[in-house]
Amino acid sequence: MALQSGRLAVYVAFNCVILALFSFTSTAWARGSPNVMSLLQPYDFLYYSGVRAYFSGEWGKAAEQLEKSIATRESLFRVRRQCHDDCMAAGTEALKKLDSEQGTMWDLWTLDWVHQKAECLRFCIGRSVTHVGQLPVSADIEYEFGIRNPYNFLQVTYYKLEKLQRAASAAHTYFVANPSHLEMRNNIEKYRRMDGVTDEDFQDRESHNEKHWVLYDAALQLEANSEWKQAAEKWKACVNETLRQTEECRVQCEVASQRLPEDRGVDSVDGVFEKAAALSLSLLSCRQSCVTQVATRPGRISAQEDFLPTQLEHLHIAQFKAGDISGALQMLRSLLLFYPSDKDSLDNLQLYHETLGGDTESQSAQPAQEIVRYISHSLQEKKLLYFGMENLDFTFTDPDLWTPEDVVPESLREIWRAEKEKMNEKMKVGEQQEEVDDSGFFAGGPVPQVGVTITMDDKMLNGTNRVVLDGVMTEKECDRILQLASVAGSLGDGYRGRRSPHTPHETFEGLTVLRAVKLAQEGLVNQSDAKLLHELGERVRTVLHSYFRSPSGLFITFTHLVCRTAVTDDQKGRLDLSHPVHVDNCLLEPETKQCWKEPPAFTHRDLSAILYLNDDFDGGELFFTNRDAKTVTARVKPSCGRLVGFSSGPVNPHGVTAVTRGRRCALALWFTKEKLYRDREREEAEAVWAADGHSVVKTDEETEGGATSSRNARSQVTKEKKRERGRVTGGKDEL
């Protein structure tokens, strides 16, 4: 814009006013204008109506109102986006005058442009939304929809209405964002066992808002298989979808009505320009926060740092390995816009130039324009926000690590450097040497069961709190449990042969203790075999509790009889794993060597175990790695009665090699020191036996330390309730 240099400071401050006046005008009109014909009611009102109907037991009305609230919210976002696009050209003539050097009325021309655009948006949105529906909703409502709580109510409502497929879908949608919700986990398992409910019914109804994460995970998988051309395509699609999601978020910030400063409790903001500046800075802060929002997986608390630059790094490497050197050069130049002095990137730049040789046209490839625009807009917003911090006492947390120092005013740089250093230190934690296991377990205790021998200990397994024990089961017991698995599998109920959640080359089947008990009640399996399945969990718990010398009580948190079967004629050229490398109680990020102990990980797991039943198959070996998920430190070959136990934390990443022939069966168990997270299904099974007059023996150890565990559990559940977030990725984390 042709502005004289003396007006620059005024112009920077006035930019805040420009953005604010739109939201100010929109909100003021929504307060005072008469009602107009519209389609969309306020979705918070519909939600509250649904919740009231729910607690009144009016299930039909509750389902209708809750579904309407979800659909109305989505429609409102679409209307805002469409009106934003339709009104882009509003006030163009006034805007053009800003580039003119004649006169000194640039401030009035700017206001003319803002007013025309605001009028367009007011009229456009008013055709579809009531004036009440345009008002900002409360933070509580935003939180309710953020954690997907409407689906929590819907799953019970549909269950009451006997619409089980819809109930299963609602339960899964809620659980994706709340995997630490134990009641919902149990509900989902019950839905899986109900007639008429199939695996296809467990759909995430909010997945359309998370397409970039689907692409991200698919690209990583293709990279792991060295399918570079397909990986490059997925990474490119992921970058584009991330940019689209970010832009969509930014548009919603701009078009949605904003609360005025007095609504925020800002008493010191008196003048209209001060209020406009405060409002506009909040708008800019909202736009910047979209980086964090898009980079946070469903159910995760923390965003993935440098999400977009990380994708660009993956993309240019995949393109280079796929032979697309010019494309790799363009993406590398795009990455350098974020980190222009990064040594690795500069080395790669030289390599790409050398590879291209005399191809001057390819060597002159410029950064992608969409990345150039993204950075340009972001830097302009940051400059205004830091101006507000320095001069208007505004509070802003920069979501990016790549922000150049010269954007930050000199008076704020010392604080900014300190905050950036904290973020960098956090990211470096995972790159440091493996930490000492803080699980509270100490391997090397006695093995109380006669006939059980220690085959491999920490030293032989090259790790911490790892053990392999033989003789935990007899051959006869292995045969009985294998027969139980076969019979239950043939029934096709509760033990479903389906494609593995981890690989298309295997089928995956599982049986719980409770399901085995119910099959025994129906006379379909032997009662003694179901009891043996239950008793094996207690046997393993007793052995490992003693060996790992846990000072507190140890409770079974989940037991699952799992079989993986190689798909015949689908093994040629197979490169994947039966179960990729993972950690049982935290989210492993091999690239950064960090392990985030937060949902969707099962953070309550403390000890893991696998009790093998057979060895008449090929592959299926358990292996341990370092945090890079590549460096294998130990391997364990399955055999009848062999038990592998290890602490569930980040010192023990592990995976399972591909089962290429036959059927691999094992009993997977997880244990917790928190009584709150004990396996409720086992208790239900025990209650069934008790009702039938059968006794179930519990060891004294299970009740010892119960008071301490309960106290710890209460403190833990408080933390979980505060977090209220998490997700599940499909099947359980079977070993």
mmCIF file of all heavy atoms in Angstrom, residues 602-639:
data_model
loop_
_atom_site.group_PDB
_atom_site.id
_atom_site.type_symbol
_atom_site.label_atom_id
_atom_site.label_comp_id
_atom_site.label_asym_id
_atom_site.label_seq_id
_atom_site.Cartn_x
_atom_site.Cartn_y
_atom_site.Cartn_z
ATOM 1 N N PHE A 602 -2.999 -46.573 26.544
ATOM 2 C CA PHE A 602 -3.607 -47.092 27.764
ATOM 3 C C PHE A 602 -2.643 -46.801 28.911
ATOM 4 O O PHE A 602 -1.869 -47.658 29.344
ATOM 5 C CB PHE A 602 -3.883 -48.586 27.624
ATOM 6 C CG PHE A 602 -4.919 -48.902 26.573
ATOM 7 C CD1 PHE A 602 -4.550 -49.182 25.266
ATOM 8 C CD2 PHE A 602 -6.263 -48.894 26.887
ATOM 9 C CE1 PHE A 602 -5.494 -49.463 24.297
ATOM 10 C CE2 PHE A 602 -7.222 -49.178 25.920
ATOM 11 C CZ PHE A 602 -6.844 -49.458 24.617
ATOM 12 N N THR A 603 -2.702 -45.578 29.396
ATOM 13 C CA THR A 603 -1.683 -45.083 30.324
ATOM 14 C C THR A 603 -1.701 -45.782 31.674
ATOM 15 O O THR A 603 -0.749 -45.664 32.444
ATOM 16 C CB THR A 603 -1.859 -43.565 30.533
ATOM 17 O OG1 THR A 603 -3.193 -43.320 31.016
ATOM 18 C CG2 THR A 603 -1.666 -42.813 29.225
ATOM 19 N N HIS A 604 -2.778 -46.494 31.975
ATOM 20 C CA HIS A 604 -2.877 -47.173 33.270
ATOM 21 C C HIS A 604 -2.128 -48.508 33.278
ATOM 22 O O HIS A 604 -1.969 -49.110 34.329
ATOM 23 C CB HIS A 604 -4.342 -47.409 33.619
ATOM 24 C CG HIS A 604 -5.084 -48.188 32.576
ATOM 25 N ND1 HIS A 604 -5.633 -47.595 31.466
ATOM 26 C CD2 HIS A 604 -5.344 -49.511 32.467
ATOM 27 C CE1 HIS A 604 -6.211 -48.517 30.721
ATOM 28 N NE2 HIS A 604 -6.052 -49.690 31.304
ATOM 29 N N ARG A 605 -1.672 -48.990 32.137
ATOM 30 C CA ARG A 605 -0.976 -50.272 32.091
ATOM 31 C C ARG A 605 0.421 -50.137 32.703
ATOM 32 O O ARG A 605 1.164 -49.220 32.376
ATOM 33 C CB ARG A 605 -0.858 -50.770 30.654
ATOM 34 C CG ARG A 605 -2.193 -51.177 30.031
ATOM 35 C CD ARG A 605 -2.025 -51.590 28.587
ATOM 36 N NE ARG A 605 -3.282 -52.055 28.008
ATOM 37 C CZ ARG A 605 -3.438 -52.368 26.731
ATOM 38 N NH1 ARG A 605 -2.419 -52.265 25.892
ATOM 39 N NH2 ARG A 605 -4.598 -52.787 26.288
ATOM 40 N N ASP A 606 0.762 -51.073 33.565
ATOM 41 C CA ASP A 606 2.073 -51.063 34.215
ATOM 42 C C ASP A 606 2.934 -52.262 33.828
ATOM 43 O O ASP A 606 4.158 -52.144 33.761
ATOM 44 C CB ASP A 606 1.897 -51.040 35.742
ATOM 45 C CG ASP A 606 1.215 -49.774 36.229
ATOM 46 O OD1 ASP A 606 1.659 -48.682 35.835
ATOM 47 O OD2 ASP A 606 0.242 -49.880 36.988
ATOM 48 N N LEU A 607 2.314 -53.415 33.593
ATOM 49 C CA LEU A 607 3.053 -54.636 33.297
ATOM 50 C C LEU A 607 2.336 -55.388 32.190
ATOM 51 O O LEU A 607 1.098 -55.471 32.189
ATOM 52 C CB LEU A 607 3.146 -55.506 34.562
ATOM 53 C CG LEU A 607 4.169 -56.647 34.568
ATOM 54 C CD1 LEU A 607 5.592 -56.102 34.496
ATOM 55 C CD2 LEU A 607 4.001 -57.489 35.838
ATOM 56 N N SER A 608 3.097 -55.920 31.240
ATOM 57 C CA SER A 608 2.538 -56.637 30.098
ATOM 58 C C SER A 608 3.040 -58.075 30.099
ATOM 59 O O SER A 608 4.144 -58.357 30.579
ATOM 60 C CB SER A 608 2.941 -55.957 28.782
ATOM 61 O OG SER A 608 2.553 -54.598 28.772
ATOM 62 N N ALA A 609 2.232 -58.976 29.530
ATOM 63 C CA ALA A 609 2.634 -60.382 29.484
ATOM 64 C C ALA A 609 2.014 -61.075 28.280
ATOM 65 O O ALA A 609 0.913 -60.716 27.843
ATOM 66 C CB ALA A 609 2.219 -61.101 30.768
ATOM 67 N N ILE A 610 2.727 -62.083 27.759
ATOM 68 C CA ILE A 610 2.215 -62.934 26.695
ATOM 69 C C ILE A 610 2.497 -64.376 27.094
ATOM 70 O O ILE A 610 3.649 -64.732 27.370
ATOM 71 C CB ILE A 610 2.889 -62.664 25.343
ATOM 72 C CG1 ILE A 610 3.051 -61.159 25.112
ATOM 73 C CG2 ILE A 610 2.090 -63.294 24.212
ATOM 74 C CD1 ILE A 610 4.248 -60.818 24.298
ATOM 75 N N LEU A 611 1.464 -65.189 27.128
ATOM 76 C CA LEU A 611 1.598 -66.609 27.443
ATOM 77 C C LEU A 611 1.289 -67.387 26.163
ATOM 78 O O LEU A 611 0.148 -67.416 25.699
ATOM 79 C CB LEU A 611 0.635 -66.993 28.567
ATOM 80 C CG LEU A 611 0.653 -68.448 29.036
ATOM 81 C CD1 LEU A 611 2.062 -68.853 29.479
ATOM 82 C CD2 LEU A 611 -0.354 -68.665 30.158
ATOM 83 N N TYR A 612 2.318 -68.002 25.593
ATOM 84 C CA TYR A 612 2.167 -68.665 24.299
ATOM 85 C C TYR A 612 1.557 -70.051 24.452
ATOM 86 O O TYR A 612 1.765 -70.751 25.459
ATOM 87 C CB TYR A 612 3.519 -68.769 23.600
ATOM 88 C CG TYR A 612 4.105 -67.426 23.228
ATOM 89 C CD1 TYR A 612 5.235 -66.933 23.879
ATOM 90 C CD2 TYR A 612 3.513 -66.651 22.240
ATOM 91 C CE1 TYR A 612 5.763 -65.698 23.549
ATOM 92 C CE2 TYR A 612 4.040 -65.410 21.900
ATOM 93 C CZ TYR A 612 5.160 -64.944 22.562
ATOM 94 O OH TYR A 612 5.672 -63.717 22.236
ATOM 95 N N LEU A 613 0.825 -70.470 23.400
ATOM 96 C CA LEU A 613 0.123 -71.754 23.423
ATOM 97 C C LEU A 613 0.667 -72.753 22.416
ATOM 98 O O LEU A 613 0.426 -73.959 22.559
ATOM 99 C CB LEU A 613 -1.372 -71.538 23.145
ATOM 100 C CG LEU A 613 -2.102 -70.569 24.092
ATOM 101 C CD1 LEU A 613 -3.535 -70.375 23.636
ATOM 102 C CD2 LEU A 613 -2.056 -71.093 25.519
ATOM 103 N N ASN A 614 1.358 -72.299 21.384
ATOM 104 C CA ASN A 614 1.811 -73.229 20.338
ATOM 105 C C ASN A 614 3.019 -72.655 19.603
ATOM 106 O O ASN A 614 3.397 -71.486 19.790
ATOM 107 C CB ASN A 614 0.678 -73.513 19.347
ATOM 108 C CG ASN A 614 0.241 -72.267 18.577
ATOM 109 O OD1 ASN A 614 0.188 -71.163 19.120
ATOM 110 N ND2 ASN A 614 -0.058 -72.442 17.301
ATOM 111 N N ASP A 615 3.627 -73.512 18.757
ATOM 112 C CA ASP A 615 4.765 -73.067 17.946
ATOM 113 C C ASP A 615 4.719 -73.647 16.534
ATOM 114 O O ASP A 615 5.710 -73.572 15.794
ATOM 115 C CB ASP A 615 6.089 -73.447 18.620
ATOM 116 C CG ASP A 615 6.220 -74.950 18.828
ATOM 117 O OD1 ASP A 615 5.337 -75.707 18.369
ATOM 118 O OD2 ASP A 615 7.208 -75.376 19.454
ATOM 119 N N ASP A 616 3.572 -74.253 16.143
ATOM 120 C CA ASP A 616 3.455 -74.878 14.819
ATOM 121 C C ASP A 616 3.014 -73.868 13.762
ATOM 122 O O ASP A 616 1.969 -73.996 13.136
ATOM 123 C CB ASP A 616 2.496 -76.066 14.881
ATOM 124 C CG ASP A 616 1.127 -75.690 15.450
ATOM 125 O OD1 ASP A 616 1.035 -74.645 16.132
ATOM 126 O OD2 ASP A 616 0.158 -76.430 15.210
ATOM 127 N N PHE A 617 3.815 -72.830 13.600
ATOM 128 C CA PHE A 617 3.558 -71.794 12.605
ATOM 129 C C PHE A 617 4.900 -71.166 12.250
ATOM 130 O O PHE A 617 5.914 -71.395 12.932
ATOM 131 C CB PHE A 617 2.593 -70.726 13.151
ATOM 132 C CG PHE A 617 3.016 -70.138 14.472
ATOM 133 C CD1 PHE A 617 3.885 -69.045 14.527
ATOM 134 C CD2 PHE A 617 2.574 -70.680 15.667
ATOM 135 C CE1 PHE A 617 4.293 -68.504 15.730
ATOM 136 C CE2 PHE A 617 2.975 -70.142 16.885
ATOM 137 C CZ PHE A 617 3.834 -69.065 16.920
ATOM 138 N N ASP A 618 4.915 -70.382 11.206
ATOM 139 C CA ASP A 618 6.136 -69.679 10.792
ATOM 140 C C ASP A 618 6.005 -68.197 11.125
ATOM 141 O O ASP A 618 4.962 -67.582 10.881
ATOM 142 C CB ASP A 618 6.385 -69.840 9.287
ATOM 143 C CG ASP A 618 6.730 -71.268 8.907
ATOM 144 O OD1 ASP A 618 7.195 -72.003 9.793
ATOM 145 O OD2 ASP A 618 6.521 -71.649 7.735
ATOM 146 N N GLY A 619 7.093 -67.608 11.639
ATOM 147 C CA GLY A 619 7.081 -66.190 12.004
ATOM 148 C C GLY A 619 6.452 -65.997 13.380
ATOM 149 O O GLY A 619 6.493 -66.871 14.248
ATOM 150 N N GLY A 620 5.875 -64.807 13.588
ATOM 151 C CA GLY A 620 5.168 -64.533 14.836
ATOM 152 C C GLY A 620 6.060 -64.378 16.050
ATOM 153 O O GLY A 620 5.599 -64.552 17.184
ATOM 154 N N GLU A 621 7.332 -64.039 15.846
ATOM 155 C CA GLU A 621 8.233 -63.852 16.980
ATOM 156 C C GLU A 621 8.041 -62.464 17.601
ATOM 157 O O GLU A 621 7.854 -61.472 16.890
ATOM 158 C CB GLU A 621 9.691 -64.001 16.536
ATOM 159 C CG GLU A 621 10.077 -65.408 16.128
ATOM 160 C CD GLU A 621 11.561 -65.511 15.807
ATOM 161 O OE1 GLU A 621 12.240 -64.457 15.810
ATOM 162 O OE2 GLU A 621 12.036 -66.629 15.549
ATOM 163 N N LEU A 622 8.115 -62.432 18.906
ATOM 164 C CA LEU A 622 8.132 -61.141 19.608
ATOM 165 C C LEU A 622 9.549 -60.575 19.545
ATOM 166 O O LEU A 622 10.521 -61.323 19.674
ATOM 167 C CB LEU A 622 7.724 -61.330 21.070
ATOM 168 C CG LEU A 622 7.797 -60.078 21.958
ATOM 169 C CD1 LEU A 622 6.636 -59.146 21.666
ATOM 170 C CD2 LEU A 622 7.796 -60.473 23.435
ATOM 171 N N PHE A 623 9.666 -59.279 19.324
ATOM 172 C CA PHE A 623 10.994 -58.664 19.352
ATOM 173 C C PHE A 623 10.919 -57.318 20.067
ATOM 174 O O PHE A 623 9.908 -56.621 20.030
ATOM 175 C CB PHE A 623 11.565 -58.494 17.937
ATOM 176 C CG PHE A 623 10.767 -57.583 17.035
ATOM 177 C CD1 PHE A 623 11.082 -56.232 16.915
ATOM 178 C CD2 PHE A 623 9.703 -58.081 16.292
ATOM 179 C CE1 PHE A 623 10.360 -55.394 16.084
ATOM 180 C CE2 PHE A 623 8.966 -57.255 15.460
ATOM 181 C CZ PHE A 623 9.292 -55.912 15.358
ATOM 182 N N PHE A 624 11.998 -56.988 20.760
ATOM 183 C CA PHE A 624 12.132 -55.701 21.445
ATOM 184 C C PHE A 624 13.064 -54.805 20.634
ATOM 185 O O PHE A 624 13.974 -55.287 19.944
ATOM 186 C CB PHE A 624 12.704 -55.891 22.851
ATOM 187 C CG PHE A 624 11.786 -56.611 23.797
ATOM 188 C CD1 PHE A 624 11.915 -57.978 24.010
ATOM 189 C CD2 PHE A 624 10.795 -55.919 24.475
ATOM 190 C CE1 PHE A 624 11.072 -58.647 24.886
ATOM 191 C CE2 PHE A 624 9.947 -56.579 25.360
ATOM 192 C CZ PHE A 624 10.082 -57.946 25.558
ATOM 193 N N THR A 625 12.841 -53.479 20.721
ATOM 194 C CA THR A 625 13.685 -52.525 19.999
ATOM 195 C C THR A 625 14.054 -51.368 20.922
ATOM 196 O O THR A 625 13.520 -51.226 22.025
ATOM 197 C CB THR A 625 12.963 -51.936 18.766
ATOM 198 O OG1 THR A 625 11.957 -51.015 19.203
ATOM 199 C CG2 THR A 625 12.345 -53.029 17.912
ATOM 200 N N ASN A 626 14.960 -50.519 20.431
ATOM 201 C CA ASN A 626 15.172 -49.216 21.046
ATOM 202 C C ASN A 626 14.033 -48.294 20.638
ATOM 203 O O ASN A 626 13.153 -48.670 19.853
ATOM 204 C CB ASN A 626 16.517 -48.628 20.612
ATOM 205 C CG ASN A 626 17.689 -49.386 21.203
ATOM 206 O OD1 ASN A 626 17.582 -50.008 22.265
ATOM 207 N ND2 ASN A 626 18.827 -49.354 20.521
ATOM 208 N N ARG A 627 14.071 -47.066 21.119
ATOM 209 C CA ARG A 627 12.981 -46.137 20.813
ATOM 210 C C ARG A 627 12.905 -45.745 19.345
ATOM 211 O O ARG A 627 11.902 -45.172 18.910
ATOM 212 C CB ARG A 627 13.124 -44.867 21.656
ATOM 213 C CG ARG A 627 12.731 -45.060 23.106
ATOM 214 C CD ARG A 627 12.332 -43.739 23.670
ATOM 215 N NE ARG A 627 12.253 -43.740 25.110
ATOM 216 C CZ ARG A 627 11.759 -42.734 25.805
ATOM 217 N NH1 ARG A 627 11.324 -41.669 25.168
ATOM 218 N NH2 ARG A 627 11.709 -42.790 27.115
ATOM 219 N N ASP A 628 13.944 -46.046 18.592
ATOM 220 C CA ASP A 628 13.876 -45.723 17.165
ATOM 221 C C ASP A 628 12.997 -46.699 16.404
ATOM 222 O O ASP A 628 12.763 -46.522 15.204
ATOM 223 C CB ASP A 628 15.279 -45.681 16.555
ATOM 224 C CG ASP A 628 16.008 -47.016 16.667
ATOM 225 O OD1 ASP A 628 15.400 -48.020 17.110
ATOM 226 O OD2 ASP A 628 17.211 -47.065 16.318
ATOM 227 N N ALA A 629 12.534 -47.753 17.076
ATOM 228 C CA ALA A 629 11.658 -48.773 16.491
ATOM 229 C C ALA A 629 12.350 -49.572 15.387
ATOM 230 O O ALA A 629 11.700 -50.325 14.663
ATOM 231 C CB ALA A 629 10.368 -48.154 15.958
ATOM 232 N N LYS A 630 13.659 -49.415 15.258
ATOM 233 C CA LYS A 630 14.407 -50.112 14.211
ATOM 234 C C LYS A 630 15.483 -51.025 14.777
ATOM 235 O O LYS A 630 15.707 -52.127 14.264
ATOM 236 C CB LYS A 630 15.033 -49.097 13.251
ATOM 237 C CG LYS A 630 14.033 -48.248 12.492
ATOM 238 C CD LYS A 630 14.747 -47.229 11.609
ATOM 239 C CE LYS A 630 13.751 -46.354 10.870
ATOM 240 N NZ LYS A 630 14.424 -45.329 10.023
ATOM 241 N N THR A 631 16.161 -50.569 15.813
ATOM 242 C CA THR A 631 17.272 -51.331 16.378
ATOM 243 C C THR A 631 16.728 -52.441 17.274
ATOM 244 O O THR A 631 16.265 -52.192 18.390
ATOM 245 C CB THR A 631 18.198 -50.414 17.192
ATOM 246 O OG1 THR A 631 18.613 -49.314 16.375
ATOM 247 C CG2 THR A 631 19.414 -51.188 17.676
ATOM 248 N N VAL A 632 16.764 -53.680 16.774
ATOM 249 C CA VAL A 632 16.237 -54.818 17.519
ATOM 250 C C VAL A 632 17.235 -55.217 18.596
ATOM 251 O O VAL A 632 18.422 -55.427 18.322
ATOM 252 C CB VAL A 632 15.954 -56.009 16.580
ATOM 253 C CG1 VAL A 632 15.497 -57.227 17.378
ATOM 254 C CG2 VAL A 632 14.900 -55.624 15.546
ATOM 255 N N THR A 633 16.754 -55.336 19.838
ATOM 256 C CA THR A 633 17.636 -55.676 20.958
ATOM 257 C C THR A 633 17.463 -57.119 21.429
ATOM 258 O O THR A 633 18.351 -57.666 22.090
ATOM 259 C CB THR A 633 17.380 -54.733 22.145
ATOM 260 O OG1 THR A 633 15.995 -54.814 22.522
ATOM 261 C CG2 THR A 633 17.703 -53.294 21.771
ATOM 262 N N ALA A 634 16.318 -57.738 21.124
ATOM 263 C CA ALA A 634 16.098 -59.129 21.544
ATOM 264 C C ALA A 634 14.929 -59.717 20.769
ATOM 265 O O ALA A 634 14.032 -58.991 20.324
ATOM 266 C CB ALA A 634 15.826 -59.202 23.044
ATOM 267 N N ARG A 635 14.954 -61.057 20.628
ATOM 268 C CA ARG A 635 13.865 -61.786 19.972
ATOM 269 C C ARG A 635 13.445 -62.949 20.863
ATOM 270 O O ARG A 635 14.277 -63.546 21.546
ATOM 271 C CB ARG A 635 14.287 -62.319 18.602
ATOM 272 C CG ARG A 635 14.541 -61.234 17.559
ATOM 273 C CD ARG A 635 14.957 -61.855 16.229
ATOM 274 N NE ARG A 635 15.209 -60.855 15.212
ATOM 275 C CZ ARG A 635 14.287 -60.354 14.392
ATOM 276 N NH1 ARG A 635 13.027 -60.807 14.479
ATOM 277 N NH2 ARG A 635 14.581 -59.446 13.498
ATOM 278 N N VAL A 636 12.149 -63.284 20.823
ATOM 279 C CA VAL A 636 11.626 -64.407 21.590
ATOM 280 C C VAL A 636 10.764 -65.262 20.677
ATOM 281 O O VAL A 636 9.803 -64.768 20.082
ATOM 282 C CB VAL A 636 10.784 -63.930 22.796
ATOM 283 C CG1 VAL A 636 10.257 -65.133 23.582
ATOM 284 C CG2 VAL A 636 11.593 -63.015 23.699
ATOM 285 N N LYS A 637 11.114 -66.564 20.589
ATOM 286 C CA LYS A 637 10.341 -67.486 19.762
ATOM 287 C C LYS A 637 9.266 -68.144 20.615
ATOM 288 O O LYS A 637 9.550 -68.667 21.688
ATOM 289 C CB LYS A 637 11.255 -68.558 19.163
ATOM 290 C CG LYS A 637 10.556 -69.491 18.187
ATOM 291 C CD LYS A 637 11.542 -70.429 17.534
ATOM 292 C CE LYS A 637 10.831 -71.415 16.603
ATOM 293 N NZ LYS A 637 10.069 -70.720 15.540
ATOM 294 N N PRO A 638 8.012 -68.147 20.174
ATOM 295 C CA PRO A 638 6.925 -68.731 20.967
ATOM 296 C C PRO A 638 7.037 -70.252 21.096
ATOM 297 O O PRO A 638 7.574 -70.933 20.218
ATOM 298 C CB PRO A 638 5.670 -68.357 20.172
ATOM 299 C CG PRO A 638 6.069 -67.196 19.323
ATOM 300 C CD PRO A 638 7.498 -67.442 18.975
ATOM 301 N N SER A 639 6.521 -70.757 22.204
ATOM 302 C CA SER A 639 6.358 -72.198 22.411
ATOM 303 C C SER A 639 5.354 -72.402 23.530
ATOM 304 O O SER A 639 5.118 -71.494 24.342
ATOM 305 C CB SER A 639 7.694 -72.858 22.763
ATOM 306 O OG SER A 639 8.198 -72.349 23.982
#
